[in-house]
Amino acid sequence: MKPTRILLIHTEETRTHFNALGIVENEPLETEILYTVLKQAGHPVRIYDPDREPACFEELLSSFAPDLVYADGVVKQVPYMLDYMQRTKAFSQKNATILGGVFAEHNYRSLYKDTVDYISRSYDPCVISALASLLSEPDFPSSLLENLNGLCYRRKDGSWTENTIHPFDINLLPRDIDRSHFYQYQSRFRLLKHNPLACVRFAYSCSHKCTFCYRTMMNCGRYVHKDVRNFAEEIRNIQCDNIYIIDDNFLVDPTTLSQFIAAIRELNINKNFICYGRCDFILKNKDLIKELTQIGFRYFIVGFEAVRDNYLQKYDKKIEVDDSLSCIHFMKSIHAGLYAMMIIDTDFTPADFTSMYRWVKEQQLEYVIPSIITPLPGTQMYDDCKEKLLTTDWRKWDYTHVLLPPAHMSIPAFYIRYQLLVLRLFFLARRYGSYDFINAPSLISRFLLGR
């Protein structure tokens, strides 16, 4: 059997003036997992990372000569994913193309294009590995594709077949991920001041169901986590002191977290951790949070979202502003760092912008991430408001664009209020000594030009 040559594209976040390069650059963990599985299956495989390497895509198609080209990403990356598929087919119609990732799981039909041959909706990398093995055989019968979990494929007549999708057990992923790409570019991977920063994933999906969040729908909405001991050993083997647990909510089950803490201590792992969590969990499990800080958890990313209860009710957060305040005060008391995530709602009045700034200032929050409300395709929020959308340009689904009509001001006025809030929060944080690792004038100019 002739092996299939595979090019894996780590799709860039944006091609516009403003981007988060230099502030947030995540290791392409999912791409590295797929790379590992394909290599183990004997396929020649290469990662193309356009944000970090100078190679021209067409030159790479010529020099590497792939048989299969893969790209994935979230909603804002879709136009770039499709662009790579089009350029691949323009180079050679013989090259097979496949898309995957978070967006593809529930929005696969919007990816049905003449330049796309396959769409992988499952998080099981073995689906793509099995497909690659089939492609090594000329004129294989399409019936062999029918059992590949969640695969969509285009038939010769242009119609699409959609295989049934089933949840994937994350414990079936390889325990030893080939992170050679990370080690080559590790100085470039960071989250704010944490650099270098390696990414790990403990679970797929989330046990909560906030109406604005897409991640709760991952893996068919089934929350599945790794064996705790294996996860701790995976972390131990990473050659990096800073670990970012990228689950949208790592703080889920007290028993599981207690097991994780015990495993970290038993294996004598001394690393710095960042994770996501909810403030209600933190308040109910204060002793557990203290233990997490003792084993190296330096920062917690918490979605406070709003400074008024009516907005929290709108998002179905199941918390109140008083809970947020209690959480902040507790975290400060144990010297745990916070990254506060806030939502800028298009129902905001000028007073709402002012209230959010004052609230942040009063709480002396160091890092605040204000995102314009973004209805993500596949969520209930998107279905409820899709008729009101101001644009269908997926590139603007980056949490810095106004996608719905503001209720109390014009779009330009809303942008001015938003930009002013972001800049005020930025300079407030600078007073605390934050953001000293970036070129402030350059970042500000890119932000203001990023519309």
Side-chain angles (χ1 to χ4, degrees):
M1 180 183 74
K2 178 185 175 183
T4 300
R5 299 179 66 82
I6 307 162
L7 180 63
L8 305 177
I9 303 170
H10 177 51
T11 312
E12 57 265 50
E13 295 279 330
T14 182
R15 296 175 184 173
T16 61
H17 290 92
F18 174 72
N19 56 48
L21 297 180
I23 298 180
V24 180
E25 294 189 68
N26 288 334
E27 173 189 6
L29 178 63
E30 308 299 338
T31 306
E32 291 172 331
I33 292 172
L34 186 52
Y35 176 84
T36 302
V37 171
L38 292 170
K39 275 191 64 179
Q40 290 175 349
H43 300 290
V45 57
R46 187 196 193 284
I47 294 176
Y48 173 55
D49 192 343
D51 277 336
R52 294 168 190 88
E53 61 177 290
C56 168
F57 181 63
E58 279 72 16
E59 291 178 357
L60 189 56
L61 290 175
S62 177
S63 60
F64 183 67
D67 304 300
L68 176 64
V69 177
Y70 170 89
D72 62 14
V74 296
V75 54
K76 65 181 178 180
Q77 297 167 291
V78 169
Y80 312 131
M81 293 158 53
L82 292 174
D83 177 61
Y84 283 120
M85 300 295 98
Q86 184 175 22
R87 290 160 68 183
T88 297
K89 289 295 188 180
F91 182 83
S92 174
Q93 286 290 326
K94 294 181 180 180
N95 290 336
T97 55
I98 180 170
L99 296 176
V102 174
F103 180 86
E105 181 178 1
H106 292 287
N107 301 285
Y108 51 95
R109 287 176 183 163
S110 65
L111 302 175
Y112 287 175
K113 307 292 182 182
D114 291 341
T115 55
V116 179
D117 298 316
Y118 305 95
I119 299 170
S120 178
R121 300 159 59 204
S122 170
Y123 296 100
D124 182 358
C126 290
V127 170
I128 298 174
S129 179
L131 173 63
S133 297
L134 289 175
L135 292 175
S136 67
E137 300 289 343
D139 301 320
F140 68 90
S142 61
S143 59
L144 296 178
L145 298 170
E146 294 175 359
N147 293 324
L148 297 184
N149 185 15
L151 186 72
C152 301
Y153 50 97
R154 186 162 53 90
R155 296 184 176 275
K156 293 181 179 180
D157 63 0
S159 63
W160 283 83
T161 296
E162 303 167 359
N163 290 351
T164 302
I165 184 171
H166 303 284
F168 172 64
D169 183 356
I170 196 170
N171 289 288
L172 298 178
L173 291 178
R175 291 176 57 182
D176 295 316
I177 299 169
D178 187 325
R179 295 179 183 263
S180 54
H181 181 82
F182 168 75
Y183 295 129
Q184 181 179 357
Y185 297 104
Q186 63 178 311
S187 64
R188 298 281 301 276
F189 297 115
R190 72 183 308 145
L191 172 61
L192 296 169
K193 63 183 180 181
H194 310 283
N195 170 254
L197 183 68
C199 292
V200 294
R201 178 181 289 285
F202 179 59
Y204 285 126
S205 197
C206 177
S207 58
H208 291 269
K209 303 299 177 185
C210 301
T211 57
F212 62 87
C213 184
Y214 184 87
R215 300 286 176 167
T216 64
M217 304 172 63
M218 287 178 66
N219 200 37
C220 306
R222 181 77 59 84
Y223 178 77
V224 182
H225 67 74
K226 292 180 178 177
D227 175 85
V228 173
R229 175 75 182 200
N230 291 344
F231 183 56
E233 291 177 352
E234 176 186 344
I235 291 171
R236 180 189 59 184
N237 295 335
I238 298 173
Q239 299 170 36
C240 184
D241 291 334
N242 300 311
I243 303 296
Y244 177 21
I245 303 175
I246 61 174
D247 302 27
D248 270 17
N249 186 9
F250 180 62
L251 309 180
V252 174
D253 176 61
T255 302
T256 302
L257 287 175
S258 294
Q259 294 171 352
F260 175 75
I261 291 168
I264 293 295
R265 285 173 170 159
E266 182 183 345
L267 294 172
N268 195 28
I269 297 173
N270 296 301
K271 294 181 185 286
N272 304 309
F273 295 93
I274 306 167
C275 77
Y276 288 85
R278 287 175 55 98
C279 75
D280 49 357
F281 183 94
I282 292 172
L283 292 174
K284 292 176 183 176
N285 300 275
K286 291 182 179 180
D287 290 340
L288 198 57
I289 301 303
K290 289 179 183 177
E291 285 196 81
L292 286 172
T293 63
Q294 292 167 5
I295 64 167
F297 278 69
R298 304 294 178 231
Y299 276 82
F300 296 80
I301 306 172
V302 179
F304 297 114
E305 319 303 4
V307 302
R308 293 184 178 177
D309 286 332
N310 60 312
Y311 288 111
L312 292 174
Q313 293 167 4
K314 176 181 177 180
Y315 309 143
D316 198 25
K317 282 291 292 185
K318 295 182 173 59
I319 62 170
E320 297 178 351
V321 173
D322 285 347
D323 297 320
S324 300
L325 295 173
S326 297
C327 177
I328 293 169
H329 295 159
F330 166 68
M331 297 300 266
K332 286 180 177 293
S333 73
I334 63 172
H335 306 290
L338 278 173
Y339 292 132
M341 300 179 69
M342 310 298 291
I343 293 178
I344 309 301
D345 202 289
T346 46
D347 283 342
F348 268 22
T349 64
D352 285 317
F353 284 97
T354 302
S355 296
M356 183 169 288
Y357 174 76
R358 287 177 177 170
W359 190 86
V360 169
K361 185 177 181 181
E362 288 170 359
Q363 305 315 312
Q364 297 182 333
L365 291 173
E366 180 183 15
Y367 290 110
V368 180
I369 307 165
S371 303
I372 296 176
I373 192 165
T374 301
L376 296 174
T379 64
Q380 184 62 48
M381 177 178 285
Y382 182 88
D383 292 338
D384 291 343
C385 63
K386 61 184 177 182
E387 301 301 327
K388 303 176 185 177
L389 290 172
L390 298 173
T391 179
T392 57
D393 184 351
W394 292 131
R395 294 173 298 178
K396 295 186 177 181
W397 261 253
D398 61 358
Y399 303 96
T400 69
H401 283 85
V402 178
L403 303 178
L404 297 169
H408 301 288
M409 63 193 82
S410 67
I411 294 174
F414 190 94
Y415 273 128
I416 290 172
R417 293 279 180 179
Y418 167 67
Q419 291 175 331
L420 180 61
L421 173 63
V422 171
L423 292 176
R424 293 182 75 190
L425 292 174
F426 174 77
F427 286 112
L428 182 63
R430 295 274 282 193
R431 294 185 202 173
Y432 306 138
S434 307
Y435 296 111
D436 57 353
F437 54 89
I438 65 173
N439 184 315
S442 173
L443 180 72
I444 291 169
S445 63
R446 283 187 293 157
F447 173 66
L448 294 176
L449 293 171
R451 300 277 71 80

